[in-house]
Every structure is written in structure tokens, then in C-alpha cells.
Amino acid sequence: MPSTSAVLADELGGALGKYPLRAAAMATVAGVAATTGPSGTVSVAVAAGKQAAGASKGGKSSGSIAPVSSSIAASGDHGVTPIGTPLVDIGANLLDPMFQGEYREKPRHQADLPAVLRRAKDAGVGQIMVTAGSLQEARDALTFCRAREEGWPELICTVGVHPTRCGEFEEFADGPDAYLAALLACGREACAQNGGGVLCGAVGECGLDYDRLQFCPKDVQLRYFERQLEGLAVPLGLPLFLHCRTADAAADLLAILKKHRASLPETPGVVHSFDGRLEDAEEFIKLGFFIGLNGCSLRTAENLD
């Protein structure tokens, strides 16, 4: 059975314990946080606090990057040794059918998500942010977080629409404004005190993806990314969990974020699964954003350079 859980073990010198978990969920823990995708891939969100940071050729730093001790352990049948400080998974696609045992629309094994979450907790994961990419997923993520069981990490969620799915705004029966209003209502519900804790950590996954325009045209992505900033992120006062694909998308994303930067939180969020140029990463970091690196960030020779 394929592994569906992984953890990144870092020597953070106890930095995680100094911040509330909700803040840590947006990678404010000494500039480093882990994320796992549905296949167990691991990401690291990197920033340099008050200094510029970014990886350059040869793995050297162009600034000051928070230290990462690269120890990765897959949590499969053999388990792992828990670390001393709790980790935060800032981008877990736990709504993926894979966790119900379904791969490429075919059943492969019994649903194992509760077991995955227990292993994650045992391995030292203190909190997980469940990623949503549509109105229905935002509702499902909130419902899932409310159903958290004993022995699982703490759960929070995102609310927002993935760039490749922004067509849903215009396909919604009551129109785009009603779709956005429903997203905002879901976000406000998740931001209310739910049994003593706030269950929404960020707006997203949203952004721009020019690599897959067959799913949603560029003009639609641009229109509804900005609508989500104005009508969702600003009213909720939440940081952004951003998606960005291609250099052209990065340029457009930067222009929009600069336009709205004053309306966003002091720590505005993270550019997840970044695969762009060093120069683009530095511009995002100058705006206060963190950069998330994972397997998608390193999939081509151009990305590695």
C-alpha cells in the first residue's frame, strides 16, 4: 500500500513553541514549515524574516535562510520516531480521494485517513491546515476539521478557489457575486469560535496558473483572484495560501499583490509549491511572503538552475 503520510524533521531550536499554531500554519516559525501533498511529498516554506532570502545556483543562499536540518522520514507501516517540537503542515490535501483509497478513479485500498492522522500525530505533527480549492471543498474542509478525533493533530482549513477552478464563479447558478458571498460566509463561519478555537487559517488555495490554461482561461483567473483578495482575504483579515505557475503568472501575481499589499496582514502568506525564478522569489519575499518549495519546485533542470 502506498505511503500517504510524511513528516519533515527539522532542528528548529524550539522555535515552533514560541508561536501560536495558527500563526505557525503560515510558516512564521523561524522561516520554516512543512507541507505534505496527497502522495506524501514534502515541502519547505522558506523566508528570511527581515532579510532577503532565496536559493541560488549550487544551493547557495543569496541572503539569510532559516536553517533546516534535512531529515525526512516517511510515516508508513514502520512508523517514525517523534521529534521534540511540534511541526505544522501548512498545505495538506486531505480531501483528495487518495485518502479514501481511490487512485485515478479506481479503488486500491480501504480508506486510511484516520490512521494517517494518528501516525502524523505520533511523529510530531502538531497541526495540519486542510487545503480547499472550491466552495464545496471549503465547506467540506470545515466539516472535516470540526469532526477531528482524539489522537489527531489539531486541524484548521483554508477557504478559497484554486486558479484552475475559477470558472466555478461564472458557472454558479446564482452568479459570481453569490459564489463569492457563499465563500465569505463559509470563511466567517470557520473564523468564529468553534468550541474554543478558530478553524480557518488562510484564504486559498488561490492565485494564478498559466501552465494549465485548458482548465481555466487567463482572464478568468485574473478576474477572480483579485475578487478573492478584495471580497474574501481583506474582510476576513487572513493571510494567503497562494498558487503560482510560470514566470508570466508570477509577474501578474506580483503586480496584483503589490496593488493590494497595504490591505493584507503584516505576514501576508506563502507562495506554495513555487517553481519560478530566483528573481521572482526575491520579489515575493520583499513583499513579506514566504516561499514554499517541494517536488514540483524541482521537477525540471530549469527549476533546479
Side-chain angles (χ1 to χ4, degrees), residues 21-297:
L21 283 175
R22 183 181 172 207
M26 289 315 299
T28 56
V29 287
V32 181
T35 79
T36 58
S39 59
T41 57
V42 179
S43 301
V44 182
V46 180
K50 297 181 180 179
Q51 297 178 319
S56 62
K57 292 183 179 180
K60 295 181 180 179
S61 169
S62 65
S64 172
I65 296 180
V68 181
S69 174
S70 56
S71 172
I72 298 177
S75 176
D77 295 333
H78 302 292
V80 298
T81 302
I83 60 173
T85 52
L87 293 176
V88 178
D89 186 329
I90 66 167
N93 297 309
L94 299 185
L95 301 179
D96 193 282
M98 182 180 295
F99 292 105
Q100 302 305 316
E102 183 178 310
Y103 296 76
R104 299 185 183 276
E105 300 181 352
K106 293 183 179 180
R108 298 295 186 183
H109 60 76
Q110 291 184 344
D112 63 350
L113 184 51
V116 169
L117 292 171
R118 287 193 294 271
R119 291 198 302 268
K121 176 74 170 181
D122 292 343
V125 178
Q127 187 181 55
I128 292 174
M129 188 161 71
V130 183
T131 307
S134 68
L135 172 58
Q136 186 57 55
E137 285 189 359
R139 290 168 171 166
D140 291 344
L142 177 56
T143 298
F144 179 70
C145 290
R146 284 175 168 163
R148 174 183 174 269
E149 297 180 8
E150 188 69 25
W152 294 2
E154 291 187 22
L155 299 176
I156 57 174
C157 60
T158 70
V159 56
V161 181
H162 193 278
T164 61
R165 300 165 75 178
C166 280
E168 291 191 15
F169 280 94
E170 298 185 347
E171 296 165 2
F172 195 59
D174 295 326
D177 291 345
Y179 191 96
L180 184 62
L183 281 168
L184 181 58
C186 182
R188 284 178 168 156
E189 184 179 352
C191 286
Q193 292 297 314
N194 291 270
V198 173
L199 292 181
C200 192
V203 167
E205 180 176 354
C206 57
L208 300 173
D209 189 327
Y210 294 174
D211 191 42
R212 293 179 285 179
L213 292 175
Q214 69 271 29
F215 296 115
C216 186
K218 176 179 173 180
D219 63 314
V220 175
Q221 292 188 34
L222 286 164
R223 183 181 310 123
Y224 294 108
F225 172 59
E226 195 153 16
R227 289 290 303 275
Q228 288 182 82
L229 287 182
E230 297 169 343
L232 197 57
V234 172
L236 294 176
L238 292 173
L240 298 166
F241 187 70
L242 293 171
H243 178 101
C244 182
R245 285 284 185 277
T246 81
D248 288 343
D252 287 346
L253 193 66
L254 279 164
I256 295 171
L257 292 172
K258 286 177 181 178
K259 175 182 174 182
H260 293 276
R261 180 62 186 92
S263 300
L264 299 175
E266 181 179 356
T267 301
V270 59
V271 184
H272 160 70
S273 191
F274 182 76
D275 68 349
R277 304 176 304 165
L278 172 62
E279 294 81 5
D280 295 327
E282 290 174 336
E283 288 300 310
F284 283 118
I285 290 168
K286 285 178 185 177
L287 289 177
F289 287 90
F290 290 83
I291 299 296
L293 303 177
N294 64 8
C296 291
S297 309

